[in-house]
Amino acid sequence: MNIARTVKAVQEIMRQDVGVDGDAQRLGQLVWMLFLKILDDKEFESEAFDPAYESPIPEKLRWRNWAANDEGLTGDALKQFIDTELFVELQSLGLETPTSPLGLVVRGMFTDSFNYMKSGQLIRQVVNRLQQDIDMNHSRTRHTFGDIYEQLLRSLQSAGNAGEFYTPRAVTDFVIDRLDPKLQETVIDPACGTGGFLSGAIEHKRAHYVHTAEDESAIDATITGIEKKPLPHALATTNMILHGIEVPSQIRRDNTLAKPLISWGRDERFDVIAANPPFGGTEELGVENNFPAEYRSRETADLFMALFMKILKPGGRAGIVLPDGFLFGEGVKTRLKERLLEEFNLHTIVRLPNGVFNPYTGIKTNLLFFTKGTPTREVWFYEHPYPSGYKNYSRTRPMRSEEFEPERAWWGTEDDGFAARVETEQAWRVSIEDIRARGYNLDIRNPHTSATAKRDPHDLLAEYRTAAAAVESTRGQLRYALVEATTGSISDRQQNNGTPGENWQLLAEHFDMLFTTRSSVDSLEKKVLQLAVLGKLVPQLESEEPAFKQLSQIRNDPARTLGRNTGKTKVVEAVLNGDRPYATPAGWEWVRLGAITSKIGSGSTPTGGKNAYVTSGVPFLRSQNVWNDGLRLDDVAFIPPEIHERMSGTQVQPGDILFNITGASIGRSSLVPEDWESGNVSQHVSILRMSLPSMRPFIHLVMQSPLVQAAVQEAQVGISREGLSKSRLERFIVPVPPLAEQERIVVKVKELLALCADLKVKLSVSHAAQAHLAEVLTA
C-alpha cells in the first residue's frame, strides 16, 4: 500500500467536513488517529510477548474497541463518543488516579490535540481507511512509513516559513553513520522535528551494537529529543514507538531555547548531538536573553549553536546541518565560530549542493562535524557533487544515501587525526592560521575547481570514450549471455505475474538503452534470480532424473518435523496445488523448507553478552557478517573455546546456509565455505542445514531470489523490529529442479551476476568521466 496515497485519500475525506479548516487542522486530526492506531498495533505485540501487559488506556477507549470494526460506531454516536469520552478521559490520564509513564505520554499527546471534524460519518470513513491500509504488523508498511512525514510536511505549505524542513533520509543516515553513536552513548536532537536523526541513531545502535535483550533495553535511556511544535512532536513520539522505544517520554514538547543557557547542568551533557536546527526563522522576543550577551541573536540557528557547544560532553561528537550564512556571517556568528575553533575540533565540513531541501527551501547547506575538547588545527572541506545527470534535486529526484559512498571511503578515523585523508578534486584542507587570517570566514570555495577546468578537454573526451567502450563491451557480453541462456523462451513463455514473453523480447532488443545505471543493473540482477527459480534460465533435459527421486531420499524420513521441541511430533505439511506460487517445468517439485533441512535453528547470545568477546578465539558470526556474496569476517567477533563448546546448538558447519532473521539485513544469506573450521551464530541469524549436501548451492540461490524475499516480507512479525520465527521459516515454499539442472542454474547465475557486478563498476567510471567532461566544457 502506498502510504502517501493513503494520507492523500484521508485528507480528501476531511475536506468534505465543515469543521476542518485548512491543511494544518487536517494534519493535526490525522496525527492523533495515527498515534492511537499505531499504539494499538504495538500493544498487540506487547501482549503477545507479555501476557501480564496492561494498557494505560481504558479498555473502551482503545482503538481496537471503538475504531477497528468498520461497522462500529458512526454518525452522531461516534462524534459524541470522541468529544465527550475519548478526548476528555485521555486528556486527564494520571490526574486523578496513577498511570504508567506511557499513560503520561498519551495524556501529553491528547493535551495538544483536537477533534476538528463535525461529521461522524466522515470520521468513520477516515478511521476505516486507516484501519484498512495501515498495519504496523506488516513489514512493507513499516518500511515505507517514514514517507508519511515528508507527505505531511509537503501538505503543510507554511512549514518553510518557520524554518522547518524535512531532513532527507540520505542526510540523517550519513550524519549518524559518521558520528557512530555507541550503545551506551547518549544522543540528543534539541530540535528533533519528527525524529529523523533519533530514529537513525536507534537503527544504527541496533545494527552495530545490540547483541542481547539487555542491550536492546539500554537504548531507551540514551535517546533524547525536544520539539516545541505540537504536530512534529506528535509525529516524533509516534516515530519512537515505531522504532521500539516502549515509553517515549524522553521526546519532550518544549522550546529548548527557552531555558537559560546557564541552567543546563553538568548532568545534562550528551555524548552525541545530531541536529538540523531551524534556520531562516527568528525566535520570539526575549528568548535571546537566555544566552550570554556575546551570543545573543534573534536567529534560531545561532542560538542553537551556542546551546550545542554548552551541552556536548568533553570528547563528545556533533553533526549539525547549517546554512551557508553561518559560515560567512559576522557579529554573533564570528564569535560562535571563534569559540568553536578554539575549544572544539571542527574537523570536517561537507558542503552540500543546492536543492537538498527542495521543495521547502533553496538555501544552500553544510554538514559540520566537530568534537569537544581539543582545538582545531585544520578543517577538511568536502564538496558533495550532484550525481551524474543531475542539475538539481527535486521531489522526484531527491538526494540518495549511496551518493555519500565517496565521502565514507575518504573519511578515515579521528583517532589518528584523519591521517589517511588525501586532497582530491572534491576534498581540500585549510589550516587554522589561514582561517584566523580570514576573520573566521568558513565560506571557503573548492581550490581545485579552476585547476580542473584547465585540463585538456580532448584528453577528458578520450578518457570518457575509453570508459564508455568498456561499458559497451561488458553490456554486450551480459546481453549475449542472457539471450543465449533463454533461447527458445523469449517469445513464447509466460514470465512471472502473468507478464507476457513479449516483454522479455523488448528487454533483449533494447538492452543497451535500458541498463545504463547501477540501479537498473540491480533490477537486472533480481530478474536473473527470478528467471532461475522460474526454470527459465537454462534448458530442461528430458533425460534428467526428476527432482522427486532426489527428494524421496528424505521425504519419508519420520524425523522430518516442524515446530519446537514440545514433545509433539508435527509432520511436514504437504505443498498443495493451491499453495504453489506458479507453475514450474516438468521434473520440478515444490517443497517446504522444513522438509529438506535437517536443522533450522537460530543462534543465541553467549553468556556475558558482548563482555564475552575476546581478541582471538572462535568466530562468533553476527548479521553484519552475513552477505549474499559470502561471509565478511573483517569485523567478526570472537568467543573463548569453552563458551563455543557450551553453545553446541549454535555451532556452524561447512555447507550451512546462514540466513538473517531480524533487523535491516533480514533476508540476507551466506553459504558457509567447505574449508570452514568452527564458529557460532548470534540470535539474529538462523542456520539452515540441508538434508542433502548436493542441494546447498541451489537453495542458497533460491533464498536470495525475489520469490523468497517476498515471502520474507510477508512473514515478518513485530512492529519495532522485524523478525522471522522458526516456524514461519520452516513453512517457506521453495522449488526444487532435477539435480543436474540445479548445477547448471547455479553456474549460469554466477556467470551473469559476475557480469552485472563488472558492469556496475564500469558504469560508475564512465559516469564520472562523463560528468568531468561536461563540467569542463560548460565552465
Side-chain angles (χ1 to χ4, degrees), residues 77-145:
L78 178 57
K79 164 72 173 168
Q80 184 176 8
F81 167 78
I82 291 174
D83 289 344
T84 64
E85 295 186 58
L86 183 73
F87 268 75
V88 170
E89 294 190 37
L90 294 185
Q91 288 173 345
S92 62
L93 276 179
L95 292 178
E96 298 180 356
T97 58
T99 187
S100 67
L102 181 57
L104 298 180
V105 171
V106 174
R107 187 181 79 195
M109 172 71 69
F110 277 83
T111 298
D112 292 320
S113 299
F114 301 92
N115 176 41
Y116 296 103
M117 297 184 71
K118 302 296 185 184
S119 168
Q121 286 85 359
L122 292 175
I123 294 175
R124 170 50 63 186
Q125 291 181 37
V126 171
V127 166
N128 287 352
R129 188 65 189 255
L130 296 179
Q131 179 67 20
Q132 171 188 333
D133 289 351
I134 296 180
D135 177 10
M136 288 304 117
N137 283 298
H138 195 294
S139 63
R140 282 182 297 190
T141 303
R142 293 197 309 279
H143 288 161
T144 60
F145 194 78

Side-chain angles (χ1 to χ4, degrees), residues 360-373:
Y360 313 114
T361 179
I363 296 175
K364 195 171 182 181
T365 52
N366 308 267
L367 307 178
L368 277 64
F369 293 89
F370 52 89
T371 303
K372 189 171 186 175

Side-chain angles (χ1 to χ4, degrees), residues 144-164:
T144 60
F145 194 78
D147 296 343
I148 199 171
Y149 303 138
E150 184 168 12
Q151 178 69 16
L152 294 177
L153 279 180
R154 283 174 177 167
S155 299
L156 191 56
Q157 294 299 318
S158 61
N161 296 332
E164 297 171 10

Side-chain angles (χ1 to χ4, degrees), residues 211-364:
H211 308 296
T212 67
E214 290 75 15
D215 291 345
E216 176 66 28
S217 62
I219 292 179
D220 290 36
T222 67
I223 302 295
T224 299
I226 307 173
E227 174 53 42
K228 73 175 183 178
K229 295 198 171 183
L231 175 60
H233 173 261
L235 288 169
T237 302
T238 306
N239 197 7
M240 293 302 99
I241 291 175
L242 279 173
H243 281 83
I245 302 299
E246 297 290 340
V247 183
S249 54
Q250 63 274 58
I251 308 302
R252 303 204 310 269
R253 164 102 151 78
D254 200 359
N255 182 357
T256 312
L257 302 178
K259 181 176 180 177
L261 194 64
I262 197 173
S263 298
W264 289 85
R266 292 188 177 276
D267 59 341
E268 295 174 291
R269 300 288 191 270
F270 298 85
D271 298 295
V272 174
I273 301 175
N276 177 11
F279 49 81
T282 58
E283 277 299 315
E284 61 192 73
L285 189 65
V287 168
E288 69 270 22
N289 295 326
N290 292 319
F291 291 78
E294 65 268 30
Y295 301 142
R296 284 176 188 167
S297 168
R298 292 288 307 283
E299 190 167 332
T300 304
D302 293 346
L303 299 176
F304 268 108
M305 271 304 295
L307 174 70
F308 297 153
M309 291 190 284
K310 172 76 172 181
I311 66 175
L312 195 61
K313 282 183 180 179
R317 310 175 302 285
I320 310 298
V321 183
L322 285 173
D324 270 6
F326 179 83
L327 300 189
F328 61 71
E330 298 178 348
V332 169
K333 292 180 175 60
T334 297
R335 292 190 287 275
L336 287 167
K337 287 180 285 188
E338 182 177 6
R339 183 188 171 200
L340 178 64
L341 292 162
E342 296 300 329
E343 299 180 17
F344 300 74
N345 180 19
L346 176 61
H347 54 80
T348 311
I349 297 178
V350 178
R351 309 216 65 176
L352 300 177
N354 290 324
V356 171
F357 287 89
N358 279 339
Y360 313 114
T361 179
I363 296 175
K364 195 171 182 181

Side-chain angles (χ1 to χ4, degrees), residues 56 72 143 163 192 200 245 251 317 330 338 352 487 555 569 575 581 590 634 703 737 767:
H143 288 161
C192 69
I245 302 299
I251 308 302
R317 310 175 302 285
E330 298 178 348
E338 182 177 6
L352 300 177
T487 297
R555 177 164 284 158
T569 299
V575 178
W590 284 103
D634 51 342
M703 300 306 289
H767 290 161

